[in-house]
Amino acid sequence: LAKTTQPISMDSYEGQEVNITCSHNNIATNDYITWYQQFPSQGPRFIIQGYKTKVTNEVASLFIPADRKSSTLSLPRVSLSDTAVYYCLVGSDNYGQNFVFGPGTRLSVLP
Amino acid sequence: GAVVSQHPSRVICKSGTSVKIECRSLDFQATTMFWYRQFPKKSLMLMATSNEGSKATYEQGVEKDKFLINHASLTLSTLTVTSAHPEDSSFYICSATSGRTNTGELFFGEGSRLTVL
């Protein structure tokens, strides 16, 4: 079973901020939280990763509360090209990890 | 960042033939690689985890004799779909962990679309 749950879909308009929350109640101490973006017929690509508190890079921010049982990906001022499926994944490089994806969130950005 | 390359990106084959898909880590050694299958508008489904030099660990419901996985070196894993049938048509994606940071970041290939006629 996937270790994460997310909303199946979200709609937004260009220029708005989009927040996608992922629940991972059984996150392990060594697990990191990583978000990926996938366009049709392409492999997923890395967006952002964090362990706790807040992480920001040039494309997104990641908010992680103290209990780490959830995380929120924030995309500022989305554009049409941000229409994609977004997955959160928890895990580490520890031997024996199998990275099982949840259903992801299908974001549709409208003009 | 670490780069993973898959080949071929598209392949069409006749029913009953076997198809091999290669996954290479170009600038790092991948001790662990993962193979996923994805149907249209569905999430990635983990098929198997392969560790260099050992047998792959298959997920429940994945036929190991149908989907042969070989991870003979630290930079190459292959997935062979044996005696392919139309229901094997799908998008296959490989990924790897680099082992550099221990943060569980996966590096994905571009994917391979298999069409079985």
Side-chain angles (χ1 to χ4, degrees):
Chain A
L1 291 177
K3 295 192 279 187
T4 61
T5 56
Q6 304 171 229
I8 294 298
S9 65
M10 295 181 70
D11 290 339
S12 181
Y13 290 96
E14 280 191 291
Q16 290 188 330
E17 177 185 80
V18 171
N19 297 307
I20 306 174
T21 297
C22 178
S23 296
H24 27 81
N25 292 317
N26 297 319
I27 189 169
T29 302
N30 293 332
D31 286 345
Y32 283 73
I33 301 156
T34 312
W35 284 79
Y36 299 90
Q37 176 191 55
Q38 187 184 28
F39 296 112
S41 297
Q42 294 184 25
R45 66 177 189 179
F46 174 90
I47 301 174
I48 197 167
Q49 182 181 71
Y51 183 80
K52 61 180 179 181
T53 63
K54 177 184 175 182
V55 180
T56 298
N57 62 22
E58 61 276 10
V59 298
S61 294
L62 178 60
F63 300 91
I64 305 169
D67 66 4
R68 304 201 328 124
K69 292 184 183 298
S70 67
S71 60
T72 300
L73 172 72
S74 181
L75 304 172
R77 298 180 299 282
V78 294
S79 64
L80 296 177
S81 62
D82 293 317
T83 293
V85 180
Y86 294 82
Y87 298 96
C88 76
L89 204 61
V90 297
S92 69
D93 281 6
N94 290 339
Y95 185 84
Q97 281 268 344
N98 60 344
F99 293 91
V100 176
F101 278 75
T105 298
R106 187 172 298 275
L107 173 65
S108 297
V109 180
L110 308 173
Chain B
V3 179
V4 174
S5 179
Q6 261 184 263
H7 178 79
S9 57
R10 293 177 181 271
V11 57
I12 301 173
C13 69
K14 292 183 178 180
S15 185
T17 61
S18 294
V19 174
K20 180 184 286 187
I21 300 170
E22 293 187 346
C23 179
R24 295 182 183 273
S25 56
L26 299 184
D27 54 356
F28 67 99
Q29 293 183 332
T31 54
T32 304
M33 286 187 169
F34 306 89
W35 285 94
Y36 294 87
R37 182 176 183 178
Q38 189 174 34
F39 292 106
K41 297 191 181 300
K42 298 294 185 182
S43 182
L44 287 77
M45 182 187 76
L46 180 64
M47 299 174 67
T49 302
S50 74
N51 293 292
E52 184 267 338
S54 62
K55 291 183 178 181
T57 301
Y58 290 81
E59 295 298 299
Q60 190 173 8
V62 178
E63 300 176 61
K64 57 185 65 177
D65 294 330
K66 158 69 82 173
F67 300 101
L68 300 179
I69 292 172
N70 183 283
H71 193 164
S73 79
L74 286 171
T75 60
L76 174 64
S77 177
T78 60
L79 166 67
T80 302
V81 183
T82 62
S83 186
H85 291 283
E87 58 265 29
D88 298 323
S89 298
S90 191
F91 192 56
Y92 294 89
I93 308 170
C94 72
S95 70
T97 53
S98 72
R100 293 174 183 170
T101 61
N102 202 41
T103 62
E105 181 179 350
L106 294 176
F107 301 92
F108 288 89
E110 307 93 329
S112 300
R113 183 164 300 284
L114 170 63
T115 302
V116 184
L117 303 177

